[in-house]
Each structure stands twice: as C-alpha cells, then as structure tokens.
Amino acid sequence: MAGGLRFTKMHGAGNDFVVLDLRDGAPPPDAAACARIADRHRGVGCDQLLTVEAPRSAGAVASYRIWNADGSVAGQCGNGARCIAAWLVRAGAAPASGAFAIDSPAGRHEVARDAAGGFVIDMGIPDFAPEALPMRGWSAPQAEYALEVDGIVLRFGAVSMGNPHAVVEAADLAHAPVDRLGKALQAHGAFPESVNVGFVEVVAADHLRLRVHERGAGETLACGSGACAAVAVLTRQGRLPAGAPVAVDLPGGRLRIQYDPASGHVRMGGPTAFVFDGTMSGEDQP
C-alpha cells in the first residue's frame, strides 16, 4: 500500500486489535500479512486484526471481518464488535447516541448504548447443535460432553456464538491448566476446525471468573464471545439463573453478559479503548 498501512490500535478489556479502514473497497491483507501485522516484535502486535468494510445488510452502518494473530479467519469477536462500534462513532460513520447495526462474519448485530455511554452488543442466539461448531461424535446437543484429553477425561459444555466454544468449569481458575488443556482440546479430532476453550469459575449466581485459550491466538486477556458462551452454557446446565445479568471477570477486565433464554439472545457490554493511530511501513509492510 503506497504511503504505508494506516491503522488504529484498540483494545476491549485487554483483548487488543489492529483496525484497518477498507470502506473504500481496498482488499484486505492476506493471511501472511495479517500475521506480520499481529507480530508483537516485528509488527504492530495484536490478538486479532479487524477490517472495517461496507455494510452487507440493509440499514447497517458498516461490516467487519476478523483475522487471528496467526492469519487464520475468525467468525466472531465480541470485544472486537464493541471496538468496531466505538471506531465507527469516532469516524462519524455511526451516531454518537442511540442504536445502530453492524455486520460481522456471523451476521447482523444491534448496538445499543449503556448508561455510562459504552456499547452493548446483541451477540445473537447461541447454537448448541454439535454440527454448528462443528464437533464430531455427537448428533444431538448435550448439556455436558466428555472426552479423553491429555490423559484425563475432560468434561465441558459446547456452543457456537458464530465461532466455536468449549466451556470447562474449574474450581480454582488461577491454577487451571489453561495452556496445556486448551491446546490439547483444540487439537482433538472432535473439533476438526479447532475450538476456543474457556475455563470458568462460578463465584456466585451473578459473577464468573473466566480465562480463554483462543484458537489462532492463545490465551488472551479477554474474550467477549467466550464470556457469552460461558454464560449460555452454564445457564443451560442450570448453574446460573435464567435471564439474570452476570459479571464476567477476565484477566483484562469485566464484561457484562445477559442471556435471555426466552428470546434466545445474548447481550454483552464492556469497555473499549483507543490506544494509538499509526502507519506501518518498511520492508515488512504488506
């Protein structure tokens, strides 16, 4: 790209992104270029790269796509959705107050504002069908699954939030083997397209602690879709009261999740931050 690659660095609860404005129809970087941009030593550094593009549905203000740090494509990113909403408002492409809609790879999302002026994203309806993840070995949804992983029988819930999630309950989250078991479950043949693995500790009926090992990125400071998945799975298992708002604490900050089984929708609120704007240039420039 002549003149360098202009970008915005953002984060949502520590889950960090490089945002590219491609609303003029410019092509996105290829997978190798995405990985170079995401490199924390030779590039800008991020968990995911987000591209802002023209809307795909009537009435939406824009769409976005997602690439993981390794250059693989992602279908959903809750923290990224909030950052895209904030980016669009700052760019004047979305209203500074009131609701609007954005398109993600997983579909259309309504964006509302909370009392503090932050963003609440309608993350859609969780899909518990094994084929939605996809997950092999089961033909019907189960509240809990069991697989032999790394020499132990690991029990977990599973759901698609537009991207696949396995949710493992942990009694002591601080000492949970997130990296070891996260990688092992991601590599299991039951998940042909890998899976995001969340380890969750139930603190109270309205309070969870969560760590997520994301496919293509490793453990991140926060995962918005993972927080939604944890609340959806635990509600389905009867571990949380249906419809109640839940505070989900991740290493990078707190997200607010509400899953309403009556409507089927999950809504997520949390922080967003602009870190800096810049231009990437030099021989590593895509």
Side-chain angles (χ1 to χ4, degrees):
M1 297 181 181
L5 181 69
R6 298 178 62 187
F7 65 88
T8 299
K9 179 71 181 284
M10 301 185 69
H11 78 85
N15 187 190
D16 63 337
F17 309 99
V18 169
V19 183
L20 306 181
D21 184 1
L22 303 184
R23 290 175 296 165
D24 61 359
D30 60 23
C34 289
R36 287 198 300 273
I37 294 167
D39 190 293
R40 297 190 183 277
H41 300 286
R42 298 178 174 85
V44 181
C46 63
D47 294 321
Q48 281 91 20
L49 184 142
L50 308 174
T51 59
V52 186
E53 304 177 28
R56 292 191 296 271
S57 68
V61 298
S63 69
Y64 65 98
R65 287 190 281 174
I66 311 156
W67 282 264
N68 294 315
D70 65 357
S72 60
V73 174
Q76 183 57 284
C77 181
N79 291 314
R82 292 198 319 280
C83 285
I84 289 293
W87 188 97
L88 289 165
V89 169
R90 191 184 74 161
S97 61
F100 57 93
I102 55 178
D103 295 322
S104 81
R108 180 185 173 103
H109 303 278
E110 300 298 324
V111 181
R113 307 300 289 266
D114 61 22
F119 297 94
V120 177
I121 309 293
D122 186 335
M123 295 289 287
I125 300 175
D127 191 340
F128 295 97
E131 62 268 21
L133 282 93
M135 182 171 62
R136 293 173 176 161
W138 289 270
S139 59
Q142 309 291 318
E144 186 178 70
Y145 302 88
L147 285 172
E148 185 173 339
V149 178
D150 198 33
I152 66 170
V153 176
L154 187 66
R155 299 186 180 279
F156 59 93
V159 65
S160 173
M161 291 299 310
N163 57 350
H165 290 272
V167 179
V168 181
E169 190 168 347
D172 181 5
L173 189 63
H175 297 97
V178 174
D179 185 67
R180 177 172 62 85
L181 289 184
K183 288 178 178 177
L185 191 57
Q186 287 172 340
H188 197 284
F191 296 101
E193 297 178 15
S194 191
V195 66
N196 301 291
V197 185
F199 293 78
V200 62
E201 178 182 347
V202 179
V203 181
D206 61 352
H207 184 196
L208 305 178
R209 295 191 183 104
L210 177 68
R211 294 168 62 189
V212 181
H213 197 284
E214 295 191 43
R215 60 174 181 174
E219 185 176 357
T220 59
L221 291 178
C223 178
S225 61
C228 295
V231 171
V233 164
L234 291 172
T235 300
R236 190 171 188 272
Q237 292 176 344
R239 299 284 287 125
L240 298 176
V246 180
V248 182
D249 287 332
L250 297 109
R254 173 170 287 188
L255 301 179
R256 302 177 303 278
I257 310 298
Q258 188 163 17
Y259 172 40
D260 180 7
S263 69
H265 286 252
V266 180
R267 292 175 175 82
M268 173 204 57
T272 61
F274 290 91
V275 182
F276 59 87
D277 297 290
T279 302
M280 184 174 174
S281 59
E283 62 181 20
D284 286 335
Q285 178 191 318

PDB file of all heavy atoms in Angstrom, residues 57 113 280:
ATOM      1  N   SER A  57     -25.815  -5.687   5.054  1.00  0.00           N
ATOM      2  CA  SER A  57     -27.263  -5.798   5.211  1.00  0.00           C
ATOM      3  C   SER A  57     -27.887  -4.408   5.197  1.00  0.00           C
ATOM      4  O   SER A  57     -27.232  -3.414   5.550  1.00  0.00           O
ATOM      5  CB  SER A  57     -27.608  -6.522   6.518  1.00  0.00           C
ATOM      6  OG  SER A  57     -27.253  -5.737   7.640  1.00  0.00           O
ATOM      7  N   ARG A 113     -26.437   1.656  23.567  1.00  0.00           N
ATOM      8  CA  ARG A 113     -25.553   2.344  24.499  1.00  0.00           C
ATOM      9  C   ARG A 113     -26.008   2.050  25.926  1.00  0.00           C
ATOM     10  O   ARG A 113     -27.213   1.950  26.198  1.00  0.00           O
ATOM     11  CB  ARG A 113     -25.576   3.860  24.249  1.00  0.00           C
ATOM     12  CG  ARG A 113     -25.296   4.254  22.810  1.00  0.00           C
ATOM     13  CD  ARG A 113     -23.931   3.775  22.329  1.00  0.00           C
ATOM     14  NE  ARG A 113     -22.852   4.521  22.940  1.00  0.00           N
ATOM     15  CZ  ARG A 113     -22.287   5.601  22.389  1.00  0.00           C
ATOM     16  NH1 ARG A 113     -22.702   6.048  21.213  1.00  0.00           N
ATOM     17  NH2 ARG A 113     -21.286   6.220  22.997  1.00  0.00           N
ATOM     18  N   MET A 280       2.072   1.731   9.349  1.00  0.00           N
ATOM     19  CA  MET A 280       3.088   0.688   9.299  1.00  0.00           C
ATOM     20  C   MET A 280       3.778   0.759   7.943  1.00  0.00           C
ATOM     21  O   MET A 280       3.145   0.721   6.905  1.00  0.00           O
ATOM     22  CB  MET A 280       2.437  -0.685   9.484  1.00  0.00           C
ATOM     23  CG  MET A 280       3.432  -1.835   9.544  1.00  0.00           C
ATOM     24  SD  MET A 280       2.612  -3.399   9.924  1.00  0.00           S
ATOM     25  CE  MET A 280       3.980  -4.538   9.749  1.00  0.00           C
TER      26      MET A 280
END
